[in-house]
Amino acid sequence: MRGAFLLVGLMMVAGCRQGAASGPSSKPQGFAGQTLPLLASPALRLTVAGRLGTRAVPVVLDVARPLSLVSKGCFEGEPPAPEGTVRAPEPAGGFRSWPVVPLPAFSVGPVVSPMRTAGLSGERACAVTLGADVLEPLALTVDPLRREVTFTASRPREAYAAEARGSEAAREVYVVELNREPLGDWPLLAVRVRQGGADLTGPFVLGSREPFSRLAVGPAEAQGLQPLETAANLPARTFAVDAVEVAEGVGASPLVVEAAGRWDSPSSLGRLGPDVWGRFTATLDAKGGALVLRRPRVGPLTPAPAPVSGGVAASATAPAPGGASAPAPSGAPAPGEASASSSASAASPSVERQRCAHPDGTFSEEACYGLHVRREPDGSVSVSGAVHRDLPEGGRLHLEALGADGLRLETGCGVGLSFPATSRGLTTQHRLPWTSLAQALPACHAALSAAASFKLALFEEGRQPECPTACAFVTETASRRTLCECQPTPLGEGVALPSRTSPSREPPPEERELEPEDPR
């Protein structure tokens, strides 16, 4: 078992932070101070739960859209008669006209929204989009591991910079300047895209609607970047790039980004999405002119620990009240650690790895791995995992299923999260078990459905062979069959990062640019 590392007791208890008490009279009237869970999704999407009239609706947070929208699919039968028309600029260039329709009572989580009207999009699926007309006075802080968004009042960039200078030594903090597009007023920032010897640097729109970054084909090709090949006569759909960065070493690498054939904006070269800034705990403050990126600091490379007789291992975190992760005291035993029969690290002494900082400033490898477990509104259990160090060969976080009593369940099924070769900060979230597992591995689905929670058990270098991207995997011990649920990429669901000489394929419709349709 090459490059394995034991993790004991590294678990975050399920549960969301509570807002104000429920009930019509006690619902808060503003977003500031609220922390809301993002809807469960393998890829990071800024979508929260809302209610339109009596209907539950997904609410998309889109900092780059000037106008809030509601789709036709949210209304039974015909939508309300328009009260007028608004013509608004688009980040990709040009303008669109939107009929403005009245809304029934609308709330987002516990917050009663002041919105009484919204532009009407032609999307068939029901969704409400909150644009800059609602979000402009707010800063959004996104925790990619917990899959939560916290709303606070906007602050000047200088306030974030001063805070960063006084930040604790355990975290790297980057304050990236945001400018405002002169016509549409959406946030812009400088981004560098590298592919081989080619380099493109310029302004990009800060995007929060879609999970993928986009790159304008014309300017990219003019600088020597080459899109992936497609079938004959099909337009370019993707670029496989070496890195997308907002500062030297601050970004994601490697990455597949969408190719924007129609990007007519004279003020930007594309869109920077959560596939890049979502590798950090990020604060998006368009009004304040700041994108603040935070991540654990990494130490120098050190030899991975050799197998230890008796297998005593240390814990990186211990459960804290409210489901938050808190550091375990240095040298303190972790929950479940007392048994001398625990499995030991099987890492090779010749393997070198980065170590990550605990909140107290000490470094260890355990701090490089994170897990958050929560109970979803439908009763299912979702897990999200993160790796805060580089993964040159990919890696696997093996999990243990726990019963309601906190004890390990004997399921007869291995379960875990698999990550591809990538730079640090990648996260993924999955329901365990996911729905389709019931057809393929019914025994594992039934056994894992009894789990009340999960904890980290073991880290191994190298991705799960059956899982090409960031995925959850389940292996049935008896049959050795492994199934994966994987993150989508611009190439399709669970399609691995190709080389630039590999053929591409057109992404499925649901994973292309999902801009609201112009009803006209």
Side-chain angles (χ1 to χ4, degrees):
M1 187 162 47
R2 181 178 178 271
F5 189 82
L6 184 71
L7 296 154
V8 179
L10 211 66
M11 181 178 68
M12 299 176 72
V13 180
C16 305
R17 301 176 191 171
Q18 299 299 313
S22 60
S25 62
S26 61
K27 282 192 174 183
Q29 300 297 311
F31 288 99
Q34 294 294 316
T35 296
L36 303 179
L38 301 175
L39 297 185
S41 169
L44 181 62
R45 299 175 185 266
L46 263 60
T47 306
V48 297
R51 185 163 292 276
L52 188 65
T54 60
R55 180 173 185 173
V57 297
V59 179
V60 182
L61 310 177
D62 190 347
V63 298
R65 181 157 296 282
L67 178 68
S68 294
L69 302 173
V70 61
S71 65
K72 286 185 176 180
C74 290
F75 300 99
E76 294 183 5
E78 291 298 316
E83 296 181 346
T85 302
V86 172
R87 190 166 181 261
E90 290 290 304
F95 287 79
R96 283 187 181 180
S97 295
W98 307 99
V100 177
V101 298
L103 294 178
F106 175 52
S107 60
V108 183
V111 180
V112 176
S113 172
M115 283 176 52
R116 296 293 177 263
T117 62
L120 181 67
S121 78
E123 294 173 293
R124 294 181 180 179
C126 176
V128 177
T129 298
L130 295 187
D133 51 346
V134 173
L135 301 176
E136 193 264 349
L138 299 167
L140 280 59
T141 296
V142 182
D143 186 326
L145 176 61
R146 295 183 64 91
R147 297 296 173 106
E148 291 177 341
V149 58
T150 298
F151 300 86
T152 55
S154 172
R155 296 191 292 160
R157 183 172 63 253
E158 292 74 18
Y160 292 111
E163 188 178 79
R165 288 192 292 270
S167 64
E168 68 273 20
R171 290 198 301 177
E172 301 172 4
V173 183
Y174 305 92
V175 180
V176 181
E177 180 179 2
L178 296 180
N179 294 303
R180 305 298 286 269
E181 204 277 339
L183 181 63
D185 207 35
W186 44 74
L188 297 175
L189 73 164
V191 174
R192 180 188 183 192
V193 182
R194 293 188 289 108
Q195 185 195 73
D199 191 302
L200 175 68
T201 301
F204 277 62
V205 176
L206 177 64
S208 61
R209 178 182 176 85
E210 296 301 326
F212 308 127
S213 296
R214 284 172 70 81
L215 179 59
V217 171
E221 292 185 324
Q223 291 298 114
L225 278 75
Q226 297 297 316
L228 291 172
E229 296 179 2
T230 63
N233 301 319
L234 285 177
R237 289 290 184 180
T238 54
F239 287 86
V241 299
D242 297 326
V244 178
E245 299 173 322
V246 298
E248 186 66 33
V250 182
S253 61
L255 195 68
V256 174
V257 299
E258 294 179 329
R262 293 180 57 189
W263 193 274
D264 302 322
S265 171
S267 61
S268 62
L269 300 174
R271 179 189 68 215
L272 186 80
D275 52 354
V276 178
W277 60 255
R279 291 177 178 240
F280 306 77
T281 297
T283 298
L284 289 64
D285 191 339
K287 181 180 179 181
L291 170 66
V292 186
L293 305 175
R294 310 170 185 88
R295 64 183 177 185
R297 194 176 300 278
V298 295
L301 292 173
T302 58
V308 179
S309 176
V312 179
S315 171
T317 62
S325 175
S330 178
E337 185 181 301
S339 170
S341 62
S342 301
S343 299
S345 167
S348 167
S350 63
V351 176
E352 291 188 334
R353 300 191 187 132
Q354 292 168 323
R355 297 177 301 159
C356 301
H358 294 278
D360 64 2
T362 61
F363 286 84
S364 72
E365 190 182 345
E366 304 99 302
C368 293
Y369 313 111
L371 181 74
H372 181 66
V373 184
R374 77 183 185 195
R375 181 74 63 173
E376 299 295 336
D378 62 1
S380 63
V381 174
S382 69
V383 301
S384 51
V387 180
H388 302 300
R389 67 170 178 84
D390 293 334
L391 294 175
E393 299 179 9
R396 285 161 284 172
L397 287 172
H398 294 271
L399 309 181
E400 284 186 1
L402 305 177
D405 56 3
L407 299 179
R408 177 181 177 180
L409 290 179
E410 297 297 336
T411 63
C413 306
V415 59
L417 303 174
S418 177
F419 296 86
T422 185
S423 57
R424 55 189 170 129
L426 184 59
T427 65
T428 190
Q429 182 185 39
H430 303 268
R431 296 174 190 263
L432 289 178
W434 58 91
T435 303
S436 63
L437 197 66
Q439 285 74 45
L441 295 176
C444 286
H445 185 276
L448 294 174
S449 295
S453 189
F454 293 85
K455 72 173 183 179
L456 293 181
L458 182 75
F459 176 80
E460 282 189 282
E461 298 287 346
R463 66 173 178 83
Q464 187 71 18
E466 297 85 353
C467 305
T469 61
C471 309
F473 65 88
V474 172
T475 300
E476 188 175 57
T477 305
S479 66
R480 306 301 299 168
R481 290 185 61 199
T482 296
L483 256 67
C484 306
E485 181 189 64
C486 296
Q487 280 189 5
T489 74
L491 295 168
E493 183 175 346
V495 179
L497 176 70
S499 67
R500 288 190 294 273
T501 58
S502 300
S504 178
R505 65 173 182 171
E506 188 173 350
E510 66 271 16
E511 293 303 338
R512 298 177 198 159
E513 176 72 359
L514 298 179
E515 294 291 350
E517 297 177 10
D518 189 338
R520 301 179 57 188

